[in-house]
């Protein structure tokens, strides 16, 4: 998905981010297996994933339409 970031002005591909942290996941796995498993499942579910700006990780962005992206590729700027 191509996006325009409202926070930093980034234009390009959105990045898929995972909520939570790997460290916490590991800790849960070491201490208690069941919550660790649930945490892993949650992070891997669509609930634990989100699209964000590849530069600043902000979720405050506008998705670009294919037509808009094509125009951006051609002219190097966006017509808002
Ligand atoms: Zn950004």
């Amino acid at each position: 998905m191509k996006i325009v970031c409202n926070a930093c002005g980034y234009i390009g591909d959105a990045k898929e981010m995972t909520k939570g942290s790997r460290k916490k996941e590991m800790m849960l796995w070491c201490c208690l297996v069941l919550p660790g498993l649930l945490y892993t499942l949650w992070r891997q579910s669509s609930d634990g994933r989100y699209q964000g700006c590849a530069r600043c990780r902000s979720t405050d962005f506008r998705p670009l339409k294919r037509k808009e992206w094509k125009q951006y590729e051609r002219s190097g700027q966006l017509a808002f």
Side-chain angles (χ1 to χ4, degrees):
M1 184 171 65
K2 306 288 187 195
I3 59 151
V4 186
C5 178
N6 291 323
C8 72
Y10 169 83
I11 299 168
D13 281 309
K15 206 176 162 212
E16 190 174 80
M17 244 79 77
T18 312
K19 285 181 194 166
S21 72
R22 185 91 202 144
K23 220 166 144 187
K24 210 159 155 187
E25 194 178 344
M26 283 298 150
M27 224 171 69
L28 280 171
W29 268 107
C30 288
C31 307
L32 312 136
V33 173
L34 191 63
L37 181 68
L38 290 174
Y39 194 67
T40 301
L41 286 176
W42 171 72
R43 286 187 75 206
Q44 281 169 3
S45 69
S46 54
D47 234 34
R49 284 168 189 265
Y50 63 100
Q51 298 280 323
C53 170
R55 191 194 282 164
C56 70
R57 300 173 68 95
S58 167
T59 50
D60 180 21
F61 61 79
R62 187 172 70 88
L64 273 181
K65 294 187 190 76
R66 186 182 287 266
K67 215 173 109 191
E68 288 178 302
W69 175 252
K70 284 276 168 241
Q71 199 204 357
Y72 171 73
E73 269 190 323
R74 233 187 2 251
S75 64
Q77 56 190 0
L78 279 175
F80 284 102

